[in-house]
Amino acid sequence: MPESNPETHVIDFRAAEHLLDARDPRGAVKLLDLVIAAHPENTAARLLRARAFFASAQLRPAELEFELVLEREPDNAFAHYALARTFERAGRPEAAVRHFRLAAALDPKPEYLKAARFDAGD
């Protein structure tokens, strides 16, 4: 078994990014589990793992991971947007709208504004 060290964790993180880009989210989760076990405070690794959970339709783990990221970084617009997408996919539109709107308020990107549906009147 290879030695676990900070360089290995950086390599695993980068490899997980590539796996997610290559549409292998479960492979990415396996690598990120190792990184997070060694560095549980690493928010970037947690955000990437949340994305991998979402991509593999593991919605509850994705939700929990996005929420943990938002506890640490409440102003992370992408995490709000991704959590909203998770809620939307899980059939929880009320929870989704709240986080879409938070994302849009934090960062008025066109896709965030469109998803926030501010013009819907609710």
Side-chain angles (χ1 to χ4, degrees):
M1 175 178 270
E3 182 181 324
S4 179
N5 61 54
E7 292 84 17
T8 303
H9 300 142
V10 170
I11 292 167
D12 286 345
F13 179 87
R14 296 295 177 214
E17 288 179 316
H18 290 291
L19 286 172
L20 190 56
D21 289 343
R23 299 181 190 258
D24 182 4
R26 291 184 185 273
V29 167
K30 287 179 186 176
L31 287 176
L32 292 164
D33 286 346
L34 300 172
V35 173
I36 291 168
H39 305 280
E41 74 291 346
N42 187 317
T43 305
R46 290 191 174 277
L47 185 58
L48 188 60
R49 185 166 70 170
R51 290 178 49 218
F53 281 139
F54 179 85
S56 64
Q58 298 179 67
L59 300 181
R60 183 65 179 149
E63 175 186 339
L64 294 172
E65 206 70 66
F66 284 128
E67 286 175 341
L68 194 145
V69 168
L70 287 169
E71 283 177 19
R72 295 175 182 182
E73 296 179 2
D75 61 344
N76 186 321
F78 174 78
H80 280 289
Y81 180 77
L83 179 58
R85 296 268 328 271
T86 304
F87 285 139
E88 185 177 61
R89 196 167 171 191
R92 298 169 58 194
E94 302 81 20
V97 168
R98 176 179 182 270
H99 286 280
F100 279 137
R101 289 180 177 180
L102 285 166
L106 290 165
D107 185 355
K109 287 183 177 180
E111 66 266 28
Y112 295 179
L113 290 168
K114 182 178 177 186
R117 298 188 299 267
F118 286 118
D119 59 355
D122 28 69

